[in-house]
Amino acid sequence: MRIVLDVNILASASLKLNSVPTDLLRLASGNTHELIVSKEMMKALGDLLTCPYFAARLTLEERMEFVESVRDNATFETPDPSVKGVADDEDDRELGTAVAGRADFLVTGDKGLLASGSFMGIP
């Protein structure tokens, strides 16, 4: 399976070894599944991990190692440029990555995206 985890799920996975986001990240980047990301998503993840909330909980080295680990275990796709105006810019970028990467799933906690159920056949 090809899986996109939204940036907030990825960031949450950086905090606890035993959590649902961490389990999802392990699953998505395992041998039988493929984690799909974009350069834009990785930049957003790096930016998010610099905010005070994460800086107070993780050292700079831990945050950098986490981003590097995600990068090393992911397949990069360029977001489909036709995905615009569906949601906000970040959600459009993640949806576009899912479309371009032919993802089987997009995992998100975003209430607006969850309410839609799926986008272009991607649950």
Side-chain angles (χ1 to χ4, degrees):
M1 266 192 254
R2 297 170 62 85
I3 303 168
V4 173
L5 301 178
D6 83 8
V7 171
N8 291 317
I9 298 287
L10 289 170
S12 294
S14 72
L15 294 175
K16 294 181 183 174
L17 293 177
N18 297 314
S19 67
V20 172
T22 302
D23 290 344
L24 288 168
L25 179 57
R26 281 190 199 115
L27 176 71
S29 49
N31 292 331
T32 59
H33 303 296
E34 192 172 2
L35 176 63
I36 308 298
V37 299
S38 64
K39 289 180 186 176
E40 296 84 354
M41 288 175 63
M42 292 305 299
K43 177 168 181 351
L45 175 62
D47 290 348
L48 181 57
L49 292 179
T50 64
C51 80
Y53 180 83
F54 290 97
R57 288 161 176 77
L58 299 166
T59 66
L60 177 58
E61 183 177 335
E62 288 170 328
R63 289 177 278 145
M64 290 173 61
E65 286 176 4
F66 179 79
V67 170
E68 185 176 319
S69 175
V70 171
R71 182 176 290 122
D72 289 347
N73 289 292
T75 298
F76 280 79
E77 294 287 346
T78 301
D80 184 316
S82 69
V83 180
K84 292 278 187 218
V86 177
D88 62 33
D89 288 342
E90 183 176 323
D91 292 339
D92 282 355
R93 178 176 51 245
E94 291 165 351
L95 288 168
T97 301
V99 169
R102 299 172 314 284
D104 296 296
F105 293 98
L106 167 62
V107 180
T108 182
D110 184 280
K111 289 181 182 14
L113 292 179
L114 289 171
S116 71
S118 69
F119 179 76
M120 294 182 71
I122 302 169

